[in-house]
C-alpha cells in the first residue's frame, strides 16, 4: 500500500469519495451478474438502480472535486437516468 501511495502520490483521504463511488459502480455490475445468474436470465433489480445512483452521485462529486467537467457531466447524466429507472422500478410490481 505504501508503494502505491508513493508511486501514484495518492492522498487517500482526498480520493476516498471517488474510490467508494468506483467500488459501488463496479459492485452494482457484480450484483446484476449474480442476480441474473440466479434467475437464469438477465435481471436489473431495484437494488442495482439504488447502488448505481449512489455511485453516480459520488463520482459526479469527484468530478467536481477534481475539476473534471467530463467526469462530472457523464456521471451527473448517469445519475439522472438511474434515478428515472429507480422511480420506474419502484412503481412497477416485480415479475414473478
Amino acid at each position: 500500500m505504501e508503494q502505491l501511495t508513493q508511486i501514484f502520490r495518492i492522498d487517500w483521504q482526498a480520493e476516498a469519495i471517488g474510490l467508494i463511488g468506483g467500488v459501488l459502480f463496479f459492485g452494482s455490475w457484480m450484483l446484476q451478474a449474480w442476480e441474473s445468474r440466479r434467475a437464469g436470465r438477465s435481471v436489473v433489480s431495484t437494488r442495482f438502480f439504488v447502488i448505481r445512483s449512489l455511485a453516480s452521485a459520488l463520482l459526479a462529486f469527484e468530478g467536481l472535486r477534481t475539476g473534471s467537467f467530463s467526469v462530472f457531466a457523464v456521471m451527473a447524466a448517469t445519475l439522472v437516468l438511474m434515478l428515472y429507472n429507480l422511480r420506474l422500478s419502484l412503481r412497477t410490481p416485480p415479475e414473478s
Side-chain angles (χ1 to χ4, degrees):
M1 190 79 140
E2 184 65 33
Q3 288 177 334
L4 280 177
T5 301
Q6 289 176 356
I7 291 171
F8 294 106
R9 301 179 195 277
I10 299 170
D11 177 357
W12 294 104
Q13 289 179 328
E15 298 288 335
I17 290 175
L19 288 169
I20 292 167
V23 166
L24 288 173
F25 203 85
F26 179 73
S28 69
W29 283 120
M30 296 297 293
L31 172 68
Q32 191 273 335
W34 178 71
E35 289 179 337
S36 293
R37 181 176 171 90
R38 266 189 23 200
R41 62 183 175 78
S42 182
V43 174
V44 181
S45 68
T46 300
R47 286 182 286 205
F48 173 84
F49 293 124
V50 169
I51 294 169
R52 183 55 67 88
S53 296
L54 179 57
S56 298
L58 291 172
L59 291 170
F61 179 81
E62 184 67 4
L64 284 175
R65 185 189 74 77
T66 61
S68 175
F69 177 75
S70 59
V71 171
F72 168 75
V74 168
M75 296 318 302
T78 301
L79 174 60
V80 169
L81 287 174
M82 290 303 107
L83 290 173
Y84 172 76
N85 281 298
L86 178 59
R87 187 175 137 246
L88 290 178
S89 178
L90 292 171
R91 288 183 14 190
T92 307
E95 293 181 20
S96 47

